[in-house]
């Protein structure tokens, strides 16, 4: 009688990891919007960037950009006091919010494209003007708003007076 050797498949651990990731995604989807938004900054500060990425990828399935911004700005409203030296404890939530908003603006700028008035982008610009004046995020948000408003104005001009190609205001 020969001895049989049973080998576990290499994929068993990968399957367990996939199951864990699936559960994690379900947990993200199962919370209330308030709790999900509340967890964005602590997750970012704890280097759980996957939570932020998953949230930004999936929130549209259950809510709107406006509601997320409202919750985020309500939770992390006017972030004060400002420090004369950056990097202190009071700057940590501000830096996290700035990074989250910057990622959102860079990777999902279409979320802020709501012609003709672009209310969410205007709300974002107002927030960063108040909380992060002179920041790179403020500059980028203002630039996107100017580009979208210009495209919207160009789109509104009569056909004969327009030069160039016709593009969607959200294709920058």
């Amino acid at each position: 009688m020969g001895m049989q050797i049973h080998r576990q498949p290499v994929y068993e651990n990968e399957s367990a990891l996939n199951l864990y990731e699936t559960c994690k995604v379900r947990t993200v989807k199962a919370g209330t919007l308030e709790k999900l938004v509340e967890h964005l900054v602590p997750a970012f500060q704890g280097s759980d960037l996957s939570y932020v990425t998953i949230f930004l990828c999936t929130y549209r399935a259950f809510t709107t950009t406006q509601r997320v911004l409202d919750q985020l700005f309500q939770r992390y409203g006017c972030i004060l006091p400002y420090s004369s030296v950056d990097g202190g404890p009071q700057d940590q939530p501000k830096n996290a919010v700035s990074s989250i908003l910057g990622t959102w603006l860079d990777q999902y700028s279409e979320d802020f494209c709501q012609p003709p008035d672009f209310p969410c982008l205007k709300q974002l610009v107002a927030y960063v003007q108040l909380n992060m004046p002179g920041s790179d995020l403020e500059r980028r948000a203002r630039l996107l708003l100017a580009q979208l408003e210009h495209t919207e104005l160009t789109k509104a001009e009569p056909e004969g007076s327009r030069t160039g190609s016709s593009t969607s205001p959200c294709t920058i």
Side-chain angles (χ1 to χ4, degrees):
M1 282 192 236
M3 190 165 115
Q4 277 189 310
I5 298 175
H6 295 293
R7 289 184 59 198
Q8 289 184 317
V10 175
Y11 304 108
E12 187 174 305
N13 288 337
E14 292 174 356
S15 178
L17 180 61
N18 289 339
L19 179 61
Y20 171 73
E21 291 296 325
T22 301
C23 291
K24 198 172 178 180
V25 171
R26 285 190 185 133
T27 301
V28 169
K29 289 182 181 179
T32 64
L33 178 61
E34 181 180 349
K35 292 292 182 188
L36 293 171
V37 170
E38 184 178 305
H39 189 63
L40 284 171
V41 169
F44 184 86
Q45 290 174 323
S47 299
D48 185 3
L49 301 181
S50 64
Y51 177 85
V52 175
T53 302
I54 290 167
F55 179 82
L56 290 175
C57 287
T58 61
Y59 82 87
R60 286 165 222 77
F62 57 89
T63 193
T64 64
T65 300
Q66 185 66 59
R67 289 189 62 216
V68 173
L69 286 175
D70 289 345
Q71 285 291 320
L72 187 65
F73 296 161
Q74 179 181 339
R75 175 79 176 136
Y76 298 100
C78 191
I79 300 172
L80 295 173
Y82 289 110
S83 170
S84 58
V85 178
D86 282 345
Q90 65 271 22
D91 285 336
Q92 291 175 358
K94 180 175 79 171
N95 292 341
V97 170
S98 177
S99 294
I100 291 164
L101 292 172
T103 298
W104 194 357
L105 195 62
D106 292 343
Q107 294 182 9
Y108 304 97
S109 61
E110 66 275 8
D111 291 359
F112 298 96
C113 183
Q114 302 158 324
D117 296 323
F118 311 103
C120 289
L121 186 53
K122 286 181 177 177
Q123 183 181 10
L124 174 63
V125 167
Y127 177 84
V128 295
Q129 278 179 317
L130 178 65
N131 291 285
M132 302 159 200
S135 67
D136 182 58
L137 178 59
E138 180 188 11
R139 182 192 60 75
R140 291 180 0 238
R142 284 176 174 270
L143 179 62
L144 180 60
L145 180 59
Q147 289 172 329
L148 292 174
E149 286 177 334
H150 175 76
T151 303
E152 188 65 17
L153 285 173
T154 303
K155 193 173 114 181
E157 289 178 7
E159 285 295 319
S161 64
R162 209 177 348 175
T163 59
S165 63
S166 174
T167 61
S168 164
C170 297
T171 314
I172 302 287

